[in-house]
Amino acid sequence: MPAIIGPVQIINVGGGIVQFGDALFISPKSATKTFAGQGALSIGGFVITNNGLSATNVLDTNLIDQPIAGNN
């Protein structure tokens, strides 16, 4: 059902879909892998991170971690 909407402000779209109007089926898909050391992904207004020795193991022996192709 169509609708009239007022002003729209989109600040950020990260890997998604913005849909205005009628939609029967919307299914965005994505798969990512992130490697980060201790305290690397800390977010906030005031962050204090005290780290000694930090090491990140990035060895990945899997060929396919999470298949999304054909997974409708």
Side-chain angles (χ1 to χ4, degrees):
M1 175 177 226
I4 298 173
I5 60 173
V8 176
Q9 180 181 11
I10 300 173
I11 303 298
N12 186 13
V13 177
I17 295 175
V18 176
Q19 173 73 32
F20 296 103
D22 297 337
L24 176 65
F25 185 79
I26 297 177
S27 181
K29 296 176 179 65
S30 67
T32 61
K33 182 179 285 191
T34 303
F35 297 104
Q38 59 187 15
L41 298 177
S42 299
I43 59 172
F46 185 71
V47 177
I48 296 175
T49 305
N50 297 317
N51 297 330
L53 183 62
S54 177
T56 302
N57 185 7
V58 296
L59 178 64
D60 185 15
T61 58
N62 297 340
L63 181 62
I64 299 173
D65 288 329
Q66 183 173 346
I68 59 172
N71 190 10
N72 294 324

